[in-house]
Amino acid sequence: ETDEKAMRAGAQDYLVKGTFNPYDLERSIRYSIEHAKSLAEIQKLNTELEQRVEERTQELAMAIHNLEKANRTLKKAQTEIYKALQKEKELHELKSRFVTIASHEFRTPLSTVLSSASLITKYKSAEDDEKRLKHVGRIKSAVHNLTNILNDFLSISRMEEGKIHNVPSTFDLQSFSSEVVDEMQGFMKEGQRIHYQHEGDQQTVYLDKQLMRNVMINLLSNGGKYSGEASTIWFTTPIIGDIVKLEVRDEGIGIPDEDKSHLFTPFFRAQNVTNIQGTGLGLNIVKKYVEIMGGELRYESQLDHGTTFTITLPYTAQI
C-alpha cells in the first residue's frame, strides 16, 4: 500500500528495507539519476519543440498575412485596370460621338454661311437691301451657332483636363444678368422675348463671373431653341438669405420622362429634339460648372408644357 502511494506521488523506484544490498542500492540510485536526466532532456526537447512550433506558427501567420495583402493588392490592381479600361472605352465612345456630331453640327451652319454669302453677291440694287439684311442675319446666326458649338467642345475638353476652376469675384448680379439677357435677346426666334426679373434687396454677389455667364447663356439659349416663336422665356435671380438662385423657365416642348435619367449625359439628346440643332453638351457643361461653383442644379419638365431649370448657389459675399 505504501509502495502504491509512493508511486502515485511520483516515485520512480523503491527498495524494501532489510531486503537490499549495496549493489541494489547503487543500481537504484544510478537508475533514478539517469531517469531524472532523461526527464530533463525530454522537458528541454519539449520546450524547444514548443518554441519552434510557436516560431513556425508566427511565420505561417505572417505568410498568410502577406498572401492576403498581396491578394488585396492584386484585386485592387485588377479593379484599377478595369476602371482604366472602362474609362478608355468611354473616351473612345466619346471621341466617336464627338466626330459624328461635330461633322454634322458644323455642316449645317457652314452650309448656311456659304449659301447666304453666295446669294448676297447677287443682290446689287438698293431694292435688294431687305434681302441682303436677311442673309446677313442668317450668316450672323450661323456663326453664333458655330461659336457655341466650339465653346461647348472646348469646355468639355478643358473640364476633362481639369483646367476649369472656380475664380470668384464681386459683381452686381442684376446688372450682369441684364447684360446677358440683352445679348441673348438678339438670338431669339421671331417674337420670342426673355422676361428678366431680380428678386431680393441684395444684388452684389461673390461668384465666378465667367462660369455664371456660360451657365446663363446655355440655359437661355436652350429655352429659346426648344420653344416656339412668340413665346416667353422667364428668367429670375432671387437672393434669399444665404442662397443665390437662377431660374430659367420656358414654354417649350418639354422633356420626355424616359429621357430624363440621361439628360446630363454628354452628347445625349432627347428623342423629341433630333430635328433641332444641338450637340447634347450644353446641360452637361452647365451641371459641371454649377458643381465647380459649389451649387446644385434641379429641373422640372412636362412634355409639351415647358421646362424649368433652377440653380442654387451659396451667397458667399456682401461687399
Side-chain angles (χ1 to χ4, degrees):
E1 183 180 356
T2 301
D3 295 342
E4 290 176 356
K5 288 181 180 179
M7 295 300 285
R8 285 197 296 271
Q12 302 297 328
D13 199 1
Y14 64 89
L15 295 170
V16 179
K17 185 170 67 174
T19 63
F20 62 89
N21 52 42
Y23 173 77
D24 292 334
L25 178 60
E26 188 269 340
R27 178 192 61 78
S28 181
I29 292 172
R30 188 175 64 253
Y31 170 78
S32 296
I33 292 172
E34 290 298 325
H35 187 70
K37 288 181 179 179
S38 297
L39 284 176
E41 187 68 23
I42 290 171
Q43 289 177 351
K44 180 182 177 182
L45 291 173
N46 186 54
T47 301
E48 291 178 353
L49 180 61
E50 288 178 351
Q51 184 176 354
R52 290 177 63 188
V53 168
E54 178 66 23
E55 291 174 355
R56 187 59 181 165
T57 300
Q58 291 179 359
E59 291 175 359
L60 185 60
M62 182 61 68
I64 292 172
H65 173 73
N66 291 336
L67 185 61
E68 290 176 344
K69 184 178 179 180
N71 189 43
R72 287 194 298 268
T73 303
L74 180 60
K75 287 183 177 179
K76 184 178 179 181
Q78 289 176 335
T79 303
E80 292 298 323
I81 291 172
Y82 177 77
K83 287 180 179 178
L85 288 174
Q86 286 296 110
K87 186 68 174 177
E88 186 67 24
K89 182 181 178 182
E90 290 173 3
L91 286 174
H92 179 72
E93 292 175 353
L94 201 63
K95 289 176 182 177
S96 298
R97 283 186 303 215
F98 169 81
V99 172
T100 302
I101 292 175
S103 60
H104 177 268
E105 292 301 320
F106 278 115
R107 187 181 297 116
T108 303
L110 284 174
S111 298
T112 300
V113 171
L114 288 172
S115 63
S116 292
S118 177
L119 289 169
I120 284 176
T121 60
K122 297 181 181 181
Y123 302 131
K124 299 178 180 179
S125 64
E127 292 79 9
D128 295 326
D129 283 348
E130 186 177 344
K131 294 178 181 179
R132 275 197 297 270
L133 289 174
K134 176 183 176 183
H135 287 290
V136 168
R138 290 184 66 197
I139 290 173
K140 288 172 62 179
S141 178
V143 171
H144 175 71
N145 289 336
L146 281 172
T147 302
N148 287 340
I149 293 168
L150 284 172
N151 286 338
D152 285 350
F153 288 151
L154 289 173
S155 294
I156 286 292
S157 175
R158 293 182 64 204
M159 279 190 286
E160 289 292 332
E161 295 171 2
K163 293 183 178 179
I164 293 182
H165 306 284
N166 186 27
V167 185
S169 61
T170 304
F171 62 94
D172 187 301
L173 179 62
Q174 183 175 7
S175 60
F176 176 75
S177 301
S178 297
E179 290 174 6
V180 174
V181 168
D182 290 340
E183 178 185 342
M184 291 303 298
Q185 188 63 61
F187 299 101
M188 294 291 109
K189 294 177 184 176
E190 185 71 27
Q192 280 185 343
R193 72 183 189 99
I194 302 172
H195 182 277
Y196 171 65
Q197 183 178 357
H198 179 76
E199 298 175 3
D201 296 330
Q202 300 296 336
Q203 296 181 11
T204 304
V205 294
Y206 186 67
L207 297 166
D208 190 305
K209 209 169 184 179
Q210 187 58 45
L211 295 183
M212 287 288 287
R213 175 184 172 81
N214 290 336
V215 165
M216 290 177 182
I217 288 175
N218 261 295
L219 292 180
L220 292 173
S221 178
N222 277 358
K225 185 189 301 182
Y226 302 119
S227 299
E229 295 181 355
S231 60
T232 300
I233 293 90
W234 306 88
F235 178 33
T236 56
T237 54
I239 298 179
I240 305 170
D242 58 352
I243 296 296
V244 178
K245 285 188 176 183
L246 269 71
E247 187 173 283
V248 176
R249 177 169 59 89
D250 63 51
E251 302 171 340
I253 58 178
I255 305 165
D257 290 339
E258 56 270 25
D259 291 333
K260 289 180 179 178
S261 59
H262 306 289
L263 192 61
F264 299 105
T265 304
F267 296 111
F268 174 79
R269 306 205 69 210
Q271 55 188 307
N272 60 338
V273 300
T274 52
N275 61 334
I276 301 174
Q277 188 176 7
T279 62
L281 293 173
L283 289 178
N284 176 263
I285 292 170
V286 168
K287 188 173 187 296
K288 288 185 177 180
Y289 280 175
V290 171
E291 290 172 351
I292 288 172
M293 290 188 287
E296 181 183 2
L297 172 63
R298 300 189 308 275
Y299 72 95
E300 294 179 0
S301 184
Q302 187 177 354
L303 196 62
D304 299 323
H305 287 82
T307 303
T308 301
F309 285 96
T310 303
I311 293 171
T312 305
L313 296 163
Y315 181 75
T316 54
Q318 182 178 323
I319 299 174

